Amino acid sequence: MKELRGLARQIGEFERFNVRVAALSTDGQDHARAVWERTVSGKITILSDPDARVIREYGLLHANGGAGGKDIALRAAVLINAQGVERWRRVSSSVPDVPQAVEILARIGELQGVAQ
């Protein structure tokens, strides 16, 4: 949740780059909505992927990694351009290694050729 709050706090910077922020989770819609309301105050989109279809397509599945052996997503940041082409990704090696907003914004700046 900490990383989601960080993204929400920096939403103005993402908008300056014309970037939309979305989070994807294997949690159900009710949980995703609660996170959206409570954690990010509606500033970013939280998507529910309970069957992990999209997560699998992006190669971000941590099979049996959740409570009770549930499939979950690896923590990652993925930048996709307007044409749907992936431009950058960073997958966390551990929970403390989660990509932070400042790192993601720096990468966006580099990709767009904008000095930070």
Side-chain angles (χ1 to χ4, degrees), residues 24-69:
L24 183 62
S25 170
T26 57
D27 293 317
Q29 288 181 343
D30 291 341
H31 183 266
R33 182 167 226 13
V35 168
W36 183 75
E37 291 172 348
R38 184 180 65 246
T39 307
V40 298
S41 304
K43 292 181 180 178
I44 65 174
T45 302
I46 308 286
L47 302 170
S48 176
D49 186 19
D51 296 325
R53 289 184 188 142
V54 175
I55 292 164
R56 277 186 182 84
E57 294 238 354
Y58 280 93
L60 295 171
L61 183 72
H62 184 188
N64 307 315

